[in-house]
């Protein structure tokens, strides 16, 4: 007898499952994708023990016909494509036919489903890939999957799971993305009996952002809508104030699918660079509509990556779109003295969309309960300091201009599964935003009341019930930077000779960067020659670098360029020189006269982006009068 034998199908399935089902979040991802593909208008996900013990996914989609169920659980069984040719135009999220068989191979699955055409529904139980039950049952239209004890038969995999809390966190992130990807679907996520996320499914992305990421993010979201070469992008990007320390909030979707793409991420981050600090990542919720023939989604089993036929064009398109959206907005951040507290969203007990027939008789009770919860929420909201932030309670003149408190209140309360408000229409910081816009206008400069300088660094300027604080050094640096850009970029480069030349030995990556940007270095006044091996002689540097050590500058620049994506903006070398030299130029606390400060502010406000210094730090911040009054308890919360 030979020693080579075929594995039995159970083992094959368990091995294959490893590609698709890595952790509870993978199960949720696959089941929710199936619900979306089934045309559901509402999807509920419930988990316990981080999804390791229990996952329920319920949808009101088209259901699975009784006779199709066993097939759906076999490997490579799908209703979504018929042949490889269809891959070119695949519009559904799934198409590989691997999820159900993989999930069933490593857990205990119970399925209840009914199609519109059938009179009764089906119950199907499958454990470790083995069918246990297939029977008739009364059921609403749609599908419910229950997945219990994940990896019960593959202890090796189970060992790699993290704590229940961490696993639940992954699922929560995933649900946030699904909700943001599909504003037309009402999502609900219940973790250990508590509703953690709920969206209305009314189709408004802004509403979704509000419910998923909260009020501050929605208030700082800038709308984007542009199109080029058949690719369309719509959605929102966050003002730099709400940027985070990791890429978790940098979300974008291609044809309704959440993906990660170096090209898109780089383009976004590059566009944000002038506005943000290093190691900060923006909030984005961008929906791309791309012709299906322009992308290949069949790259990876989890379909998290896609291939683009024209990556360079995509990069430029995204970069331009984000840059334009950012440059159009006023970016002065607010200072809040009062503690910022996220108002708790209250979820009244609500039926899932397809349950309404079953609970009609108790509608009144449900409504009473919802009303009670709502009232409690209103009381809680009233007690929160944030409430007066939005409505300006206690300040009579603001009260006339913003929606009356009753309306504002409902912003914070979600009940009955359908939010009653339209967050998109609420201008949370309207008045202060208008003041900021006006502050930036040249014709308003006469109304800037310069109060004085604080700590030999900050200029305080009063303007229309608002205090603006300008960081003198950041302002200086920004102005100097822009001047340097114009000077160096505009005319013939003037070099300053180094005698003797500086000899540097570069690393492979530094040498690569140097070669890539050699043309730009030369045009700015550098003279650099190869000296054999990886040694280079720098015999000239641009003149007038504010007395900065040329060699140090050159090395720091190379350092910077090494970490740069290859598709940087064309003037990248110029920008870096300007930024590095200005940083060195502006030092120490300097006392300015009021007239000098006025001139400085005047020049600052001429700039296209006066909001951030070349290193992304804010130059101007502002505080409203009512914020201060709140601190002094003139406004009672
Ligand atoms: P794929 O999604 O790649 O087709 P799956 O293994 O995820 O493969 O699902 C197999 C098939 O089962 C699907 O093609 C679909 O016909 C059916 N199916 C799975 N989940 C649902 C659902 N929630 N509603 C309706 N049909 C479903
Ligand atoms: Mg699927």
């Amino acid at each position: 007898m030979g020693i080579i034998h075929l594995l039995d199908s159970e083992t094959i399935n368990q091995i294959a499952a490893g590609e698709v089902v890595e952790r509870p979040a993978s199960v949720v991802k696959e089941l929710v994708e199936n619900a979306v593909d089934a045309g559901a208008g509402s999807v509920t996900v419930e988990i316990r023990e981080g999804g390791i013990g229990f996952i329920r996914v319920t949808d009101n989609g088209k259901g699975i016909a009784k006779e199709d169920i066993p097939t759906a659980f076999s490997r490579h069984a799908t209703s979504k494509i018929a042949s490889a040719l269809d891959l070119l135009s695949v519009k559904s999220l799934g198409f590989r036919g691997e999820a159900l068989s993989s999930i069933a191979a490593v857990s205990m699955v119970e399925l209840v489903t009914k199609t519109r055409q059938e009179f009764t529904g089906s119950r199907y139980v499958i454990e470790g890939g083995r069918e246990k039950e297939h029977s008739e049952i009364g059921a609403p239209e749609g599908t419910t999957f229950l997945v219990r004890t994940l990896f019960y038969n593959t202890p090796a995999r189970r060992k790699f799971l993290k704590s229940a809390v961490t696993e639940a966190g992954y699922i929560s992130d995933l649900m946030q993305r699904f909700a943001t990807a599909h504003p037309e679907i009402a999502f609900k996520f219940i973790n250990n009996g508590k509703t953690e996320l709920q969206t209305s499914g009314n189709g408004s992305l802004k509403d979704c952002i509000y419910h998923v990421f909260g009020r501050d993010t929605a208030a700082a979201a800038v709308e984007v809508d542009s199109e080029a070469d058949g690719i369309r992008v719509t959605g929102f990007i966050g003002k730099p104030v709400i940027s985070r320390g990791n890429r978790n909030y940098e979300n974008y979707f291609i044809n309704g699918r959440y993906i990660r793409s170096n090209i898109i991420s780089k383009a976004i981050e590059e566009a944000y660079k002038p506005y943000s600090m290093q190691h900060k990542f923006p909030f984005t919720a961008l929906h791309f509509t791309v012709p299906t023939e322009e992308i290949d989604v069949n790259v990876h089993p989890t379909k998290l990556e896609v291939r683009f036929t024209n990556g360079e064009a995509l990069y430029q398109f995204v970069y331009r779109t984000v840059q334009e959206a950012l440059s159009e907005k006023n970016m002065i951040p607010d200072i809040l003295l009062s503690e910022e507290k996220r108002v708790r969203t209250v979820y009244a007990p609500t039926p899932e969309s397809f349950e309404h027939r079953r609970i009609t008789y108790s509608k009144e009770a449900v409504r009473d309960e919802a009303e009670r919860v709502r009232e409690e929420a209103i009381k809680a909201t009233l007690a929160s300091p944030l409430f007066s932030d939005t409505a300006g309670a206690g300040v009579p003149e603001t009260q006339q201009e913003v929606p009356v408190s009753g309306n504002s209140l409902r912003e914070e309360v979600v009940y009955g599964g359908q939010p009653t408000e339209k967050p998109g229409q609420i201008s949370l910081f309207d008045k202060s935003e208008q003041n900021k816009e006006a502050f930036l206008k040249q014709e308003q400069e006469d109304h800037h009341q310069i109060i004085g300088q604080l700590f030999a660094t900050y200029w305080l300027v009063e303007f229309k019930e608002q205090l603006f604080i300008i960081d003198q050094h950041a302002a200086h640096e920004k102005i100097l930077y822009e001047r340097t850009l114009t000077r160096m970029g505009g005319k013939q480069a003037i070099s300053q000779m180094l005698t003797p030349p500086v000899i540097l030995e570069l690393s492979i990556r530094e040498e690569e960067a140097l070669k890539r940007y050699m043309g730009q270095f030369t045009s700015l006044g550098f003279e650099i020659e190869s000296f054999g091996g990886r040694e280079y002689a720098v015999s000239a540097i641009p003149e007038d670098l504010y007395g900065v050590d040329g060699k140090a500058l050159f090395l720091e620049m190379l350092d910077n360029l090494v970490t740069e994506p290859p598709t940087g903006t064309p003037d990248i070398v110029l920008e870096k020189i300007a930024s590095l030299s200005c940083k060195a130029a502006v030092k120490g606390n300097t006392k300015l006269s009021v007239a000098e400060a006025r001139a400085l502010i005047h020049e600052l406000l001429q700039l296209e982006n006066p909001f951030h210094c070349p290193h992304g730090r804010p130059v101007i911040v502002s505080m409203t009068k009512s914020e201060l009054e709140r601190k002094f308890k003139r406004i009672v919360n």
Side-chain angles (χ1 to χ4, degrees):
M1 211 173 106
I3 43 172
I4 304 179
H5 56 271
L6 288 172
L7 295 170
D8 63 59
S9 67
E10 232 169 80
T11 313
I12 293 171
N13 282 343
Q14 278 188 11
I15 293 170
E19 289 205 326
V20 182
V21 185
E22 200 190 341
R23 51 180 6 105
S26 344
V27 175
V28 174
K29 173 175 181 286
E30 293 299 333
L31 295 181
V32 174
E33 285 190 355
N34 282 345
V36 173
D37 284 345
S42 119
V43 178
T44 297
V45 173
E46 179 174 4
I47 61 163
R48 275 179 235 140
E49 298 153 48
I52 305 164
F54 175 87
I55 295 171
R56 169 173 74 94
V57 177
T58 297
D59 69 55
N60 62 350
K62 64 177 189 224
I64 310 175
K66 191 178 187 60
E67 67 274 17
D68 277 346
I69 296 173
T71 320
F73 281 94
S74 10
R75 272 187 83 200
H76 310 304
T78 180
S79 58
K80 299 171 193 174
I81 59 169
S83 76
L85 217 57
D86 294 343
L87 282 174
L88 292 174
S89 58
V90 66
K91 288 203 170 63
S92 54
L93 296 173
F95 53 81
R96 298 170 67 107
E98 291 174 323
L100 295 191
S101 64
S102 299
I103 295 167
V106 293
S107 67
M108 304 176 180
V109 177
E110 184 182 339
L111 161 69
V112 175
T113 184
K114 183 180 125 32
T115 61
R116 167 170 295 182
Q117 295 75 22
E118 290 168 317
F119 287 113
T120 56
S122 316
R123 179 168 186 268
Y124 188 79
V125 180
I126 177 167
E127 292 176 1
R130 292 192 183 179
E131 178 181 315
K132 296 277 158 155
E133 192 187 320
H134 189 179
S135 58
E136 265 183 28
I137 191 177
E141 255 167 63
T143 303
T144 289
F145 276 96
L146 302 171
V147 178
R148 295 191 174 87
T149 43
L150 187 62
F151 300 139
Y152 79 100
N153 54 353
T154 48
R157 294 222 142 250
R158 212 185 158 105
K159 266 206 300 224
F160 281 101
L161 295 181
K162 305 207 171 122
S163 73
V165 174
T166 307
E167 294 295 343
Y170 292 140
I171 297 173
S172 176
D173 286 351
L174 178 74
M175 291 308 295
Q176 293 196 343
R177 285 183 216 127
F178 270 121
T180 318
H182 295 280
E184 77 286 2
I185 298 176
F187 281 100
K188 188 168 173 180
F189 172 52
I190 307 163
N191 180 12
N192 288 332
K194 225 182 96 219
T195 300
E196 282 196 0
L197 178 143
Q198 189 167 359
T199 60
S200 70
N202 69 356
S204 153
L205 178 57
K206 180 102 179 195
D207 285 16
C208 280
I209 293 173
Y210 181 90
H211 290 302
V212 174
F213 300 100
R215 168 186 159 273
D216 295 344
T217 305
V222 176
E223 189 158 9
V224 163
D225 186 345
S226 79
E227 187 167 1
D229 304 325
I231 300 182
R232 168 129 193 245
V233 60
T234 59
F236 293 87
I237 60 173
K239 290 186 182 181
V241 258
I242 56 163
S243 288
R244 312 283 182 117
N246 61 58
R247 287 197 176 81
N248 245 351
Y249 293 84
E250 205 179 280
N251 294 320
Y252 37 82
F253 310 93
I254 305 243
N255 301 344
R257 181 192 305 279
Y258 170 79
I259 58 139
R260 297 303 308 165
S261 147
N262 284 336
I263 296 174
I264 297 178
S265 277
K266 287 266 158 62
I268 292 174
E269 286 162 25
E270 199 60 27
Y272 264 87
K273 236 182 206 165
Y275 300 92
S276 19
M277 312 260 291
Q278 267 190 340
H279 310 303
K280 284 274 184 188
F281 300 96
F283 167 84
T284 67
L286 294 174
H287 288 237
F288 290 86
T289 317
V290 181
T292 47
E293 61 275 13
E294 294 282 320
I295 49 173
D296 182 2
V297 286
N298 190 24
V299 182
H300 193 263
T302 62
K303 304 180 227 95
L304 202 62
E305 289 168 34
V306 304
R307 258 190 224 122
F308 300 95
T309 47
N310 192 347
E312 177 64 27
L314 180 72
Y315 178 93
Q316 294 300 340
F317 170 60
V318 176
Y319 177 78
R320 245 183 301 121
T321 302
V322 174
Q323 197 189 36
E324 273 162 28
L326 286 174
S327 62
E328 274 166 19
K329 279 287 156 184
N330 108 59
M331 296 287 173
I332 305 178
D334 292 292
I335 307 178
L336 296 179
L337 296 172
S338 47
E339 197 187 335
E340 245 183 307
K341 202 154 85 185
R342 187 95 150 247
V343 172
R344 190 172 55 101
T345 310
V346 178
Y347 299 100
T350 56
E352 285 172 26
S353 58
F354 44 83
E355 288 177 327
H356 62 273
R357 260 167 297 155
R358 272 192 258 160
I359 51 93
T360 12
Y361 64 93
S362 64
K363 220 175 183 170
E364 297 310 315
V366 170
R367 194 179 296 145
D368 287 352
E369 175 63 7
E371 196 53 33
R372 188 188 61 74
V373 173
R374 181 174 161 272
E375 282 197 20
E376 262 180 23
I378 290 175
K379 278 191 212 136
T381 315
L382 266 173
S384 122
L386 192 68
F387 164 65
S388 40
D389 267 9
T390 59
V395 186
E397 72 265 25
T398 20
Q399 250 177 9
Q400 284 158 15
E401 287 174 51
V402 292
V404 286
S405 49
N407 286 343
S408 318
L409 272 176
R410 253 176 277 131
E411 287 160 37
E412 313 297 335
V413 183
V414 179
Y415 81 104
Q418 299 294 324
T420 45
E421 83 289 12
K422 281 243 176 286
Q425 294 172 355
I426 303 162
S427 321
L428 298 159
F429 298 105
D430 251 7
K431 196 168 173 195
S432 113
E433 289 299 302
Q434 279 166 18
N435 287 344
K436 287 188 213 167
E437 306 266 356
F439 177 78
L440 299 166
K441 294 213 170 79
Q442 207 179 330
E443 62 267 26
Q444 298 290 339
E445 273 180 35
D446 288 345
H447 303 288
H448 291 176
Q449 272 204 57
I450 299 191
I451 310 289
Q453 197 185 26
L454 183 68
F455 307 137
T457 303
Y458 305 103
W459 283 93
L460 309 182
V461 184
E462 178 182 342
F463 178 76
K464 292 198 178 166
E465 311 234 311
Q466 213 142 318
L467 172 67
F468 290 82
I469 306 177
I470 299 173
D471 180 330
Q472 183 189 306
H473 301 282
H476 233 138
E477 204 179 318
K478 180 69 183 190
I479 292 168
L480 214 53
Y481 170 77
E482 294 290 340
R483 279 193 204 152
T484 313
L485 278 192
T486 328
R487 183 168 49 81
M488 286 186 142
K491 58 173 192 227
Q492 196 65 29
I494 302 175
S495 305
Q496 168 189 341
M497 302 309 283
L498 296 180
T499 38
V502 182
I503 313 289
L504 299 167
E505 179 165 355
L506 304 180
S507 72
I508 294 178
R509 296 186 64 199
E510 285 168 341
E511 185 181 25
E512 245 176 47
L514 177 62
K515 282 184 177 157
R516 187 170 347 120
Y517 294 106
M518 188 57 110
Q520 289 190 45
F521 274 109
T522 313
S523 73
L524 290 170
F526 282 97
E527 276 174 32
I528 305 158
E529 275 171 300
S530 170
F531 220 63
R534 285 205 302 276
E535 286 196 345
Y536 284 83
V538 184
S539 53
I541 60 168
E543 199 199 46
D544 198 8
L545 289 175
Y546 304 102
V548 178
D549 174 10
K551 177 184 161 191
L553 175 81
F554 179 70
L555 278 180
E556 197 174 343
M557 288 203 34
L558 275 187
D559 226 34
N560 264 268
L561 290 172
V562 161
T563 53
E564 208 61 39
T567 28
T569 49
D571 289 332
I572 191 138
V573 176
L574 173 59
E575 281 166 22
K576 288 222 181 304
I577 295 191
S579 131
L580 291 172
S581 61
C582 297
K583 185 177 166 186
V586 183
K587 275 197 222 115
N589 299 341
T590 344
K591 274 268 180 200
L592 285 188
S593 71
V594 172
E596 285 169 320
R598 203 174 271 289
L600 183 78
I601 295 170
H602 174 76
E603 196 172 347
L604 179 70
L605 297 186
Q606 308 288 311
L607 303 179
E608 210 170 285
N609 170 7
F611 314 110
H612 300 85
C613 83
H615 311 282
R617 272 183 284 113
V619 176
I620 314 173
V621 300
S622 90
M623 190 199 303
T624 58
K625 182 178 169 201
S626 54
E627 190 56 46
L628 205 60
E629 286 178 321
R630 193 163 299 122
K631 195 68 186 173
F632 283 106
K633 306 283 181 215
R634 281 168 169 264
I635 298 177
V636 184
N637 291 318

